[in-house]
Amino acid sequence: APPVSLECIESASSPSFRVMYALAVTCLSALLILLLEPAAMLEKFGTTGCRRRVGVQFSSFVQLLSKAAATTSMIVWNDALAYSVTAGIGEEQPEVKQRTLLLYSLTMTFAGSAVSMQFQSWSRHLTTLSE
């Protein structure tokens, strides 16, 4: 096998590669969630106690996998964006890098909270419309 070139390793640690990787992980996570969510409804597939218990356990497992896929996607995006934010800061400036990451963390926390609140609002609105 040919040796891995240094250019290949450097391109794998570039901000654009990390963003593309995060996008691929997000698409795969979304596909997994969309395929598994209908299976979570199997909780109600039986009338006997054994079938109902298996359905509940399977539904819990599917929900766990969905949350794991979503969490993995969020972690990869955080890594890609944090790397992109600090890509131009040299190792000789650790204070600047720390302050930039602090500002990034605060910004992402508040932006994530705002998006979460908006989704909850839409969810409540759609729930009241369906009733």
Side-chain angles (χ1 to χ4, degrees):
V4 177
S5 69
L6 186 59
E7 292 173 5
C8 180
I9 293 171
E10 288 174 359
S11 68
S13 65
S14 70
S16 59
F17 175 80
R18 288 177 184 234
V19 169
M20 294 301 289
Y21 180 71
L23 186 61
V25 168
T26 301
C27 290
L28 290 174
S29 295
L31 182 65
L32 180 71
I33 291 169
L34 289 174
L35 292 175
L36 289 178
E37 284 300 319
M41 299 301 156
L42 293 176
E43 175 180 327
K44 305 171 185 95
F45 77 95
T47 56
T48 64
C50 182
R51 290 180 84 182
R52 184 164 293 161
R53 276 192 301 264
V54 169
V56 168
Q57 293 298 321
F58 183 73
S59 175
S60 296
F61 180 69
V62 166
Q63 289 175 358
L64 181 66
L65 282 178
S66 295
K67 290 188 185 306
T71 302
T72 301
S73 180
M74 286 185 271
I75 289 170
V76 172
W77 271 109
N78 184 51
D79 177 65
L81 294 175
Y83 187 81
S84 296
V85 165
T86 60
I89 301 172
E91 294 298 322
E92 64 277 356
Q93 299 173 318
E95 298 87 19
V96 174
K97 192 171 192 174
Q98 288 175 349
R99 289 180 182 161
T100 303
L101 285 174
L102 177 64
L103 179 62
Y104 164 77
S105 298
L106 291 172
T107 303
M108 292 305 290
T109 299
F110 290 124
S113 296
V115 168
S116 178
M117 288 173 43
Q118 184 62 47
F119 281 143
Q120 288 176 353
S121 173
W122 288 339
S123 176
R124 281 191 298 263
H125 178 70
L126 292 174
T127 303
T128 57
L129 285 177
S130 67
E131 294 175 347

